[in-house]
Amino acid sequence: MKLQQLRYLVEVAKQGLNVSEAAEKLHTSQPGISKQIRLLEDELGIQVFIRNGKRVVSVSEPGKEVLRISERILREAQNLKRVGDEFSRESEGALTIATTHTQARYALPPTIAAFVQRYPKVRLSIKQGSPTQICEMVVSGEADLAVATEGIALYKELAMLPCYEWNRSVVVPQDHPLLQLERPITLADIASYPIVTYDFAFAGRSKINKAFADQGLSPNVVLTAIDTDVIKTYVSLGLGIGIIASMAFEPTRDAGLRIIDAGHLFEPSTTKIGIRKDAYLRGFAYTFVELFAPHLHRREVDAALLAHDSDLDD
């Protein structure tokens, strides 16, 4: 049995049972992958993939367990490599952060700048996506850390570390009537105008909906987006008023717009870091976490990972 055979198995499953796409991803030949998988099946004495002629059509019941174990073995092999790198190349390597647009654009830049200055030889990559997409990147090993507000708690494979709380503001054109209010803004005030805000999967949108529903209001959401800059663009064009993360407003850059605090109207949201419970973190990964959330020292991260160790065996 070879690790390469396990990689072939996992990649074929990952590519929707398409052997050709798996071969392309792994920079090898389709016949080579098929041969190695057959050899592994012969050694195990079971059929991992069910075939119709030469085409793989499904995964057998024992094959599902083989794939699960194979994924774990490959993760542990990667952890072994990281242990070696930690001691032989302490300040070199790679770190991949999966996050949403709002975090990448507004929350992470100071952390990234400080990290790059401290670890110039570490290849830092930022991958953006929806909360579901970024969590799956960490679960699959494509990324080391997920930074998001939504989604992390839904994945049993991930340990969740709360980082900071944030809330929302209303963004309007500079001559908007809401700027003339001589009292704190209300949900009814907001609901009386067309609204541009986040897509449901992003940035605590569920808490926005809940706040209106609790008061029996039906907001007129005319446009949703995954990108705060898109929301602000359409507000500036007069499409409606925006509900955005307060940190996403920059007075200098957002000339022509004004912000109205709405933190008293919505339940605060918490941005979290998600890490695979069975991950081996390099020293610089702990540093990145602490730069982003200064209260999360190495001992807090390790405690969170250790607390979840037994969950993986359930």
Side-chain angles (χ1 to χ4, degrees):
M1 188 182 301
K2 302 173 182 176
L3 283 177
Q4 190 75 319
Q5 292 171 327
L6 303 185
R7 289 192 184 94
Y8 289 167
L9 277 182
V10 170
E11 192 62 37
V12 169
K14 186 177 175 182
Q15 297 302 325
L17 306 181
N18 189 313
V19 181
S20 296
E21 290 187 11
E24 187 175 340
K25 276 280 186 180
L26 295 171
H27 307 292
T28 188
S29 69
Q30 180 178 339
I33 286 184
S34 297
K35 178 183 177 181
Q36 289 302 317
I37 289 176
R38 292 277 194 187
L39 288 172
L40 181 60
E41 289 176 324
D42 290 344
E43 182 177 349
L44 296 175
I46 61 170
Q47 190 176 20
V48 176
F49 294 127
I50 297 171
R51 298 167 178 82
N52 183 0
K54 292 186 177 181
R55 190 165 62 91
V56 176
V57 294
S58 64
V59 181
S60 69
E61 283 305 312
K64 292 175 184 176
E65 184 65 13
V66 170
L67 280 169
R68 187 183 71 81
I69 294 171
S70 297
E71 289 170 352
R72 179 178 291 189
I73 290 171
L74 291 173
R75 285 195 300 270
E76 292 298 346
Q78 183 61 32
N79 283 342
L80 283 174
K81 185 177 184 304
R82 287 175 175 173
V83 172
D85 288 343
E86 181 67 10
F87 291 94
S88 63
R89 298 188 301 135
E90 194 174 320
S91 299
E92 299 178 26
L95 182 65
T96 300
I97 311 299
T99 190
T100 58
H101 168 83
T102 299
Q103 299 297 329
R105 171 71 177 79
Y106 298 102
L108 282 169
T111 299
I112 290 169
F115 181 85
V116 169
Q117 184 173 14
R118 187 176 299 190
Y119 294 100
K121 294 183 179 179
V122 173
R123 299 185 308 278
L124 184 62
S125 301
I126 305 296
K127 295 188 175 184
Q128 293 185 47
S130 69
T132 298
Q133 289 169 333
I134 67 176
C135 288
E136 289 178 352
M137 288 178 198
V138 177
V139 169
S140 69
E142 293 177 54
D144 301 296
L145 308 174
V147 180
T149 298
E150 306 283 347
I152 296 174
L154 302 177
Y155 289 81
K156 63 181 180 62
E157 301 93 340
L158 302 181
M160 186 172 65
L161 298 161
C163 297
Y164 68 93
E165 281 193 351
W166 58 271
N167 216 311
R168 297 149 192 82
S169 291
V170 174
V171 61
V172 298
Q174 59 186 354
D175 57 352
H176 199 276
L178 286 177
L179 294 169
Q180 307 307 314
L181 292 176
E182 296 181 354
R183 53 171 173 76
I185 195 170
T186 67
L187 288 172
D189 294 328
I190 298 171
S192 64
Y193 293 93
I195 296 170
V196 185
T197 192
Y198 299 106
D199 183 85
F200 188 81
F202 286 76
R205 171 67 191 279
S206 57
K207 294 186 177 181
I208 294 175
N209 290 4
K210 183 178 183 299
F212 284 107
D214 287 348
Q215 292 199 15
L217 296 170
S218 298
N220 177 23
V221 178
V222 295
L223 179 70
T224 62
I226 65 174
D227 183 328
T228 308
D229 293 332
V230 171
I231 294 171
K232 290 186 288 188
T233 295
Y234 282 98
V235 170
S236 67
L237 292 174
L239 192 64
I241 63 175
I243 302 176
I244 64 171
S246 298
M247 62 182 165
F249 185 80
E250 300 172 309
T252 303
R253 290 176 179 266
D254 298 325
L257 296 176
R258 297 292 181 270
I259 194 169
I260 303 170
D261 178 54
H264 57 292
L265 301 177
F266 303 104
E267 182 184 346
S269 291
T270 302
T271 291
K272 311 169 193 76
I273 288 177
I275 308 171
R276 268 205 71 99
K277 296 171 184 176
D278 57 356
Y280 178 86
L281 294 181
R282 298 284 307 274
F284 52 69
Y286 287 101
T287 300
F288 186 95
V289 171
E290 188 171 348
L291 286 170
F292 186 64
H295 64 287
L296 293 177
H297 306 290
R298 185 170 188 144
R299 61 180 176 272
E300 281 77 25
V301 176
D302 284 342
L305 294 175
L306 286 171
H308 294 295
D309 264 355
S310 60
D311 296 346
L312 290 172
D313 299 321
D314 291 346

